[in-house]
Amino acid sequence: MPHPAYGALSWISVVNPGERTTDTVVQPLRGAHDAARARFARRRSAADGGGRTPQRCDPPDRT
């Protein structure tokens, strides 16, 4: 069930977890974890310039 106070942030609450509820709880947690990893990868890629390897910039030769 959505967390009463943090449901808008996609938090869930698990009341009295047990063997019968493990599969019910683990599936959404795995989905949320996968989504968080994907968001992190997208943001990291965007911060790195779209995932491209930065080009080396040597100073001009002043001889």
Side-chain angles (χ1 to χ4, degrees):
M1 76 183 302
H3 188 278
Y6 301 111
L9 300 173
S10 299
W11 286 35
I12 63 171
S13 60
V14 179
V15 181
N16 297 328
E19 290 181 27
R20 292 185 310 156
T21 59
T22 300
D23 290 335
T24 303
V25 172
V26 170
Q27 281 183 325
L29 288 175
R30 282 194 179 135
H33 184 252
D34 292 344
R37 287 176 57 96
R39 277 192 308 274
F40 176 80
R42 280 194 311 271
R43 290 174 182 166
R44 185 175 186 189
S45 176
D48 290 343
R52 291 173 282 157
T53 304
Q55 298 297 315
R56 183 175 175 179
C57 182
D58 291 327
D61 195 16
R62 302 205 182 250
T63 57

